[in-house]
Amino acid sequence: MVWFSDLISLGIESTADNLGIGIVSSDHEVLANYVKIHVPLEGGIHPREAARHHSEYMGASIKTALNQAGITMSEVDIISFAQGPGLGPCLRTGATGARALAAYLNKPLVGVNHCVAHVEIGRMATGAVDPLTLYVSGGNTIVSGYESGRYRIFGETLDIAVGNCFDTFARAAGLEYPGGPDIERKAALGSKLIPLPYAVKGMDLSYSGLLTSITSEYETGKHSIEDLCFSLQETAYAMLGEVTERALAHTSKPELLLTGGVAANKRLASMVRDIAEDHGATPFVVPIKLAQDNGAMIAWTGIIAYNAGYRTPLESSYVNPSWRMDQVEIPWRN
Ligand code: AMP
Ligand code: MG
């Protein structure tokens, strides 16, 4: 594999509610990582409104990132973008921006899988080499690890992501949005464990029944919000812990990496550390700026993929909203 040195990659992340523009160099330096988050007026993410937000702020966000990095567009060598998975309208907005830049500036375009990017920036940021990864966010809940040329999925949600479960409950219960941080603060003051559906099926998880159930417990008016948040967190994380622990025992991976926006949660991070310790694995928690959806992870993975020979010609740069991480060949891990 030829490693082109001195490359600068600009990455566009727009799979859901975050518009992220990152600029990263081939010597592991994050030069800029600007994230603009769309907050819906009510309810959860509306794909078309989030996409409108991203197109409105695309130009200004690219300028902000270039200013943060202290470079001009002519110093950027490759344009990377999240090609999937994610919400169609949001993905298309990012891809359109990336295509326009690549075509106008005559730079190579590299389409990146969003979930693979979470793992790669996590490895880069923490120094983990071959981790089992628990990736938990607003849109994804995946336990994965590298095996024979691909990131294999050992367990995943069958319906909604754990972060989406928190965010939707937060809206129903009048908490701050997104819900994770407020739920964490209130959970720390709760103590009564309300019985809720614990749904682990084989190695997979389900969060929609938990969401329905916690919402109807809230509507009874019988419980304090602190106990509701405590019970929601404990149940949601116990499910994650069970699947993660089984995957770790099965794969004997030497490291356990926690990433995604939900990695900001102290309770979950401490559970992950305990699981790793029990299995002689080293735990790593990705710092929040690189764990949440962001452009730096796309820019960095674009560099690795480019160096491994990946190019995305305009005619095959269409987005794929259901692109699974285990469909991507990972030649750079061979
Ligand atoms: P991402 O989709 O990776 O950008 O992450 C956003 C998700 O992380 C949202 O669903 C948030 O509710 C969730 N989140 C952020 N902070 C926390 C926290 N402290 N505890 C739990 N979830 C969190
Ligand atoms: Mg998100």
Side-chain angles (χ1 to χ4, degrees):
M1 178 166 115
V2 200
W3 184 262
F4 298 90
S5 56
D6 291 334
L7 279 181
I8 292 183
S9 167
L10 181 143
I12 301 180
E13 156 62 34
S14 72
T15 58
D17 48 350
N18 292 14
L19 172 64
I21 309 292
I23 302 175
V24 177
S25 75
S26 47
D27 48 9
H28 300 205
E29 208 182 336
V30 177
L31 303 168
N33 194 18
Y34 178 71
V35 178
K36 175 87 178 57
I37 303 179
H38 171 62
V39 178
L41 291 174
E42 53 172 25
I45 305 175
H46 189 294
R48 247 181 305 122
E49 275 165 28
R52 198 178 311 139
H53 164 272
H54 298 345
S55 58
E56 186 180 341
Y57 290 98
M58 182 72 68
S61 301
I62 292 172
K63 275 191 201 135
T64 303
L66 288 168
N67 284 341
Q68 274 179 7
I71 62 166
T72 62
M73 203 63 220
S74 62
E75 291 169 81
V76 171
D77 299 295
I78 60 179
I79 307 294
S80 313
F81 71 104
Q83 203 169 0
L87 305 170
C90 300
L91 283 168
R92 281 191 288 278
T93 303
T96 303
R99 282 184 210 112
L101 284 177
Y104 181 65
L105 299 161
N106 199 22
K107 315 257 183 196
L109 186 64
V110 183
V112 167
N113 180 286
H114 172 90
C115 305
V116 169
H118 269 289
V119 173
E120 292 303 346
I121 197 76
R123 293 172 64 229
M124 191 266 245
T126 63
V129 177
D130 182 26
L132 183 84
T133 301
L134 172 58
Y135 160 39
V136 273
S137 70
N140 293 284
T141 306
I142 299 177
V143 177
S144 70
Y146 178 81
E147 184 59 56
S148 310
R150 291 185 189 216
Y151 285 113
R152 309 289 166 176
I153 295 176
F154 296 109
E156 63 192 312
T157 182
L158 297 168
D159 40 57
I160 59 172
V162 61
N164 186 357
C165 174
F166 292 163
D167 296 341
T168 312
F169 173 67
R171 270 279 145 97
L175 304 178
E176 284 167 29
Y177 184 94
D182 204 10
I183 290 173
E184 175 168 28
R185 279 190 296 274
K186 297 207 163 48
L189 305 170
S191 57
K192 193 182 94 192
L193 192 64
I194 304 158
L196 294 169
Y198 179 99
V200 174
K201 302 177 184 188
M203 287 294 282
D204 291 329
L205 309 121
S206 160
Y207 283 105
S208 63
L210 179 58
L211 173 61
T212 306
S213 184
I214 189 72
T215 307
S216 41
E217 290 293 347
Y218 165 76
E219 283 164 357
T220 65
K222 284 196 294 200
H223 312 286
S224 71
I225 190 68
E226 288 79 13
D227 285 341
L228 286 161
C229 291
F230 172 74
S231 306
L232 174 60
Q233 261 202 185
E234 289 305 302
T235 309
Y237 293 160
M239 288 161 55
L240 289 175
E242 179 183 334
V243 171
T244 303
E245 180 155 25
R246 232 176 309 129
L248 192 60
H250 172 72
T251 58
S252 303
K253 290 282 183 193
E255 299 158 332
L256 180 55
L257 183 76
L258 175 62
T259 194
V262 184
N265 190 280
K266 301 229 167 36
R267 173 73 178 125
L268 180 60
S270 94
M271 284 172 69
V272 160
R273 286 195 191 92
D274 288 346
I275 291 169
E277 196 176 296
D278 283 351
H279 291 267
T282 310
F284 294 98
V285 179
V286 179
I288 186 62
K289 287 246 156 62
L290 296 174
Q292 66 170 354
D293 289 347
N294 69 86
M297 69 184 197
I298 304 300
W300 171 241
T301 309
I303 287 182
I304 309 174
Y306 180 84
N307 274 322
Y310 275 102
R311 307 287 184 274
T312 306
L314 287 181
E315 59 274 19
S316 52
S317 64
Y318 46 81
V319 302
N320 182 353
S322 52
W323 192 18
R324 290 172 62 83
M325 73 189 299
D326 55 7
Q327 294 173 320
V328 184
E329 282 183 40
I330 309 290
W332 57 86
R333 290 285 310 266
N334 278 341

